[in-house]
Amino acid sequence: MTTAASSNFHILGSATNESGRVLSREALTFVGRLHEEFGGRRRDVLRRRKERWDTLEKGGALVFATGEAAHGDWMVAPAPADLNDRRVEITGPAERKMMINALNSGASVFMADLEDALSPTWSNVVDAQGALMDAVRRSLTFAAKGKQYSLNERLATLVVRPRGWHLVEANVSIAGLPASASLFDFGLYFFHNARETIARGTGPYFYLPKLESHLEARLWNDVFNFAQDALGIPRGTIRATVLVETIYAAFEMEEILYELRDHAAGLNAGRWDYLFSIIKAFRNRPEFALPDRAQLTMAVPFMRAYAKRLVQVCHRHGAHAIGGMSAFVPSRRDPEVNARALAKVREDKERESGDGFDGTWVAHPDLVPVAAAIFDRVLGDEPNQKSRPRDDARVAAADLLQVAIEGGRVTSDGLRANVDVALRYLDAWLQGTGAVSINNLMEDAATAEIARSQLWQWIRHRVDVDGSGTMTANEYRRVRDAVVAELRKSAPKHSRVTDAATLLDELVLGEWQDFLTLPGYRMLK
């Protein structure tokens, strides 16, 4: 394509189904202004990430915030009417069919994902924006195999998750540099839809991923103010919920809310990325080698501490506390599998509602009534639990870092499961699918990150694998070869299992990669 907002702005990607209306000159001009104003600051916060990790690696400590943010008597802005009751939120990629099913699901909120659940092919990224434009205007439709999909009268409130600060959109060049994926995703959605959402009695609402510090929250807040001013929209119209999915953010929850207080809607317990972040931050320390992913539930002490502190911080400052994702996918064909999955979901949601969360995440429409029934019993006629401060929670900094689990171990089944999930997911992701049901679990980039990072960690620290001996690179290769051979038996012609194995080898056997999406992005077609 040659459409450009200025001589410094170049679209390198090809035309897509929606590019004609999504990549208008006016929209690209707006995105260009965001980059001109904030591109340098984005690069600065990314440099600070590395500096912070270097300090931690040299013995630096993580401590809770002090000062006004931690002890001041401040509150976030009141929630808009359509974001006050958030008892069940469903998530999924910003793809037409999934969006229609999610918006129609009966959930309170639908988070349309441009990040972990969306493989960032150029057509996926651009066409998702077109689908979002139609969703806002209630004209979203989809047809396949003779079946028509359309929106119901009653819909979930739409919230959009742009990609994180660390990602770029390589198909867009601005002043000779790849565009920030965050500013590109946010800018296009906001430009095309902010006024329309307001006219329809809602607003431009966002989920913010992968934040590591209050400075990154401050950057988003400044982006929001700039964008609102540019379109003549009152400041504070935007609402943003921050995913607490890094160990660094867990220590700055109050500071992050404080920076965004005029736009903040709450915090979310992004459990899978949070586990990955712990592995990443302490990857060179053997005492942080975690056991099988299946053992890393929200019931283990360090995850309980994380959840309790999040609720306490949110309610202290009038923000919503939203629970994490249940990855289980119901089975409509296997009653036994379905019963086990529903039992685990109920256990998870009962724990969250009992801890004081105001709502929770599910990944499948069939789980909406299950989670809703649990939160209905706790909330009754109230929209949330924000009036319950949870001052009884006593969480020390050390509680977030005591990751040793009684009876926790690495097993040969867990090893094989990590290899299997990583390969299956990467195969699908490289083909353009970012949310994949594998063994009745909904896997996305976050869960794949856990799988590949644990493999890297287990090899580096030569952990004991129950039933297999010490974990080594050769043991990984043995299991990888067996899984690849099995996958190839049923792989379709368009499969990218070989590429997936190459990428996984790079992630597991090579130098540490901060995100699998960084080397993976270069392999997308």
Side-chain angles (χ1 to χ4, degrees):
M1 294 182 65
T2 58
T3 302
S6 71
S7 59
N8 288 330
F9 198 120
H10 299 282
I11 302 295
L12 308 177
S14 302
T16 75
N17 292 334
E18 301 285 355
S19 57
R21 63 173 178 152
V22 169
L23 303 178
S24 66
R25 181 172 295 273
E26 295 78 11
L28 295 180
T29 297
F30 180 74
V31 171
R33 290 180 64 191
L34 291 176
H35 278 81
E36 182 179 355
E37 186 73 20
F38 300 107
R41 284 181 59 186
R42 168 190 167 266
R43 292 188 290 274
D44 183 59
V45 297
L46 293 179
R47 283 194 296 270
R48 288 174 180 267
R49 285 186 179 184
K50 185 180 185 306
E51 292 170 359
R52 191 176 196 180
W53 184 83
D54 289 343
T55 299
L56 189 65
E57 180 69 359
K58 294 173 182 176
L62 294 174
V63 296
F64 290 140
T66 59
E68 174 67 15
H71 304 296
D73 186 18
W74 55 271
M75 304 291 279
V76 302
D82 59 344
L83 269 185
N84 199 34
D85 188 327
R86 304 176 63 175
R87 63 189 68 199
V88 183
E89 301 192 354
I90 189 169
T91 76
E95 298 172 349
R96 286 181 176 272
K97 180 182 175 182
M98 290 191 177
M99 287 176 64
I100 292 170
N101 288 338
L103 288 164
N104 289 343
S105 67
S108 310
V109 169
F110 165 51
M111 187 199 77
D113 198 1
L114 297 171
E115 200 218 17
D116 277 354
L118 189 81
S119 174
T121 65
W122 177 238
S123 59
N124 279 353
V125 167
V126 175
D127 292 352
Q129 292 284 347
L132 290 168
M133 291 170 68
D134 288 345
V136 167
R137 291 157 181 81
R138 292 178 171 259
S139 60
L140 185 66
T141 60
F142 180 78
K145 299 179 181 179
K147 189 172 182 180
Q148 300 289 325
Y149 298 80
S150 60
L151 296 176
N152 295 339
E153 182 64 28
R154 180 184 178 277
L155 301 177
T157 298
L158 178 63
V159 181
V160 175
R161 175 161 72 169
R163 285 171 285 177
W165 283 129
H166 61 288
L167 295 171
V168 299
E169 178 47 67
N171 291 286
V172 178
S173 173
I174 302 177
L177 297 173
S180 158
S182 300
L183 296 178
F184 185 76
D185 293 348
F186 164 80
L188 286 177
Y189 178 76
F190 187 80
F191 180 83
H192 286 302
N193 301 293
R195 292 192 183 97
E196 187 69 25
T197 59
I198 295 167
R200 291 176 177 273
T202 180
Y205 304 147
F206 298 92
Y207 257 106
L208 304 180
K210 308 289 189 293
L211 268 64
E212 294 193 6
S213 77
H214 69 285
L215 296 178
E216 297 180 23
R218 182 182 299 170
L219 176 56
W220 268 120
N221 196 71
D222 291 345
V223 169
F224 293 162
N225 282 332
F226 182 91
Q228 290 165 134
D229 292 348
L231 296 192
I233 292 171
R235 290 189 174 190
T237 301
I238 291 173
R239 286 292 189 276
T241 304
V242 176
L243 291 129
V244 180
E245 51 189 359
T246 69
I247 185 65
Y248 303 109
F251 279 85
E252 295 193 28
M253 292 185 201
E254 285 181 295
E255 289 177 291
I256 287 170
L257 271 182
Y258 182 78
E259 294 292 345
L260 283 160
R261 60 193 180 279
D262 294 334
H263 298 106
L267 301 177
N268 171 280
R271 61 178 69 173
W272 303 120
D273 268 306
Y274 184 72
L275 287 167
F276 164 59
S277 172
I278 290 174
I279 297 170
K280 177 164 62 173
F282 299 101
R283 59 187 179 269
N284 291 330
R285 292 170 60 173
E287 67 269 28
F288 281 86
L290 297 177
D292 289 359
R293 171 187 160 191
Q295 300 171 43
L296 300 174
T297 69
M298 292 302 292
V300 301
F302 74 99
M303 295 300 284
R304 296 284 290 136
Y306 156 69
K308 288 181 177 180
R309 177 163 174 78
L310 188 147
V311 172
Q312 183 184 62
V313 167
C314 284
H315 289 184
R316 182 182 297 156
H317 300 292
H320 281 81
I322 307 300
M325 172 65 76
S326 282
F328 296 101
V329 177
S331 172
R332 295 173 179 175
R333 298 179 179 178
D334 189 328
E336 185 177 345
V337 169
N338 197 55
R340 287 199 302 268
L342 292 180
K344 290 180 179 179
V345 171
R346 289 190 185 97
E347 179 185 5
D348 185 54
K349 302 316 172 190
E350 286 170 354
R351 181 187 304 111
E352 287 181 331
S353 61
D355 283 345
F357 280 94
D358 304 295
T360 190
W361 272 17
V362 297
H364 193 281
D366 286 358
L367 295 179
V368 171
V370 177
I374 293 168
F375 273 83
D376 287 348
R377 286 198 298 270
V378 173
L379 296 178
D381 294 331
E382 295 297 318
N384 52 62
Q385 301 193 70
K386 289 193 288 187
S387 62
R388 303 168 192 173
R390 301 288 165 169
D391 287 335
D392 56 327
R394 296 289 184 269
V395 178
D399 296 333
L400 297 176
L401 301 174
Q402 294 290 344
V403 300
I405 299 173
E406 184 176 354
R409 56 192 180 130
V410 178
T411 70
S412 55
D413 287 343
L415 166 57
R416 185 179 177 86
N418 274 356
V419 174
D420 183 66
V421 166
L423 284 172
R424 288 176 186 268
Y425 181 78
L426 291 174
D427 178 26
W429 190 85
L430 291 171
Q431 294 179 63
T433 299
V436 188
S437 178
I438 303 174
N439 298 324
N440 296 106
L441 294 175
M442 185 60 71
E443 309 285 3
D444 66 6
T447 51
E449 290 283 28
I450 296 174
R452 67 91 177 181
S453 62
Q454 283 198 311
L455 294 168
W456 188 96
Q457 183 187 51
W458 293 346
I459 292 170
R460 181 176 185 85
H461 299 301
R462 297 180 63 82
V463 301
D464 180 67
V465 181
D466 178 49
S468 298
T470 302
M471 181 64 182
T472 64
N474 283 337
E475 177 64 8
Y476 159 74
R477 292 187 183 99
R478 183 189 68 80
V479 176
R480 179 253 286 144
D481 287 346
V483 173
V484 168
E486 182 178 308
L487 293 178
R488 282 179 175 153
K489 291 178 183 178
S490 58
K493 289 184 178 180
H494 60 270
S495 169
R496 297 192 64 183
V497 171
T498 299
D499 291 334
T502 298
L503 177 55
L504 186 59
D505 283 355
E506 179 181 351
L507 293 165
V508 172
L509 301 176
E511 293 296 317
W512 175 262
Q513 298 283 341
D514 280 346
F515 295 93
L516 68 81
T517 46
L518 297 177
Y521 191 49
R522 296 192 294 268
M523 299 173 68
L524 281 180
K525 296 179 180 178

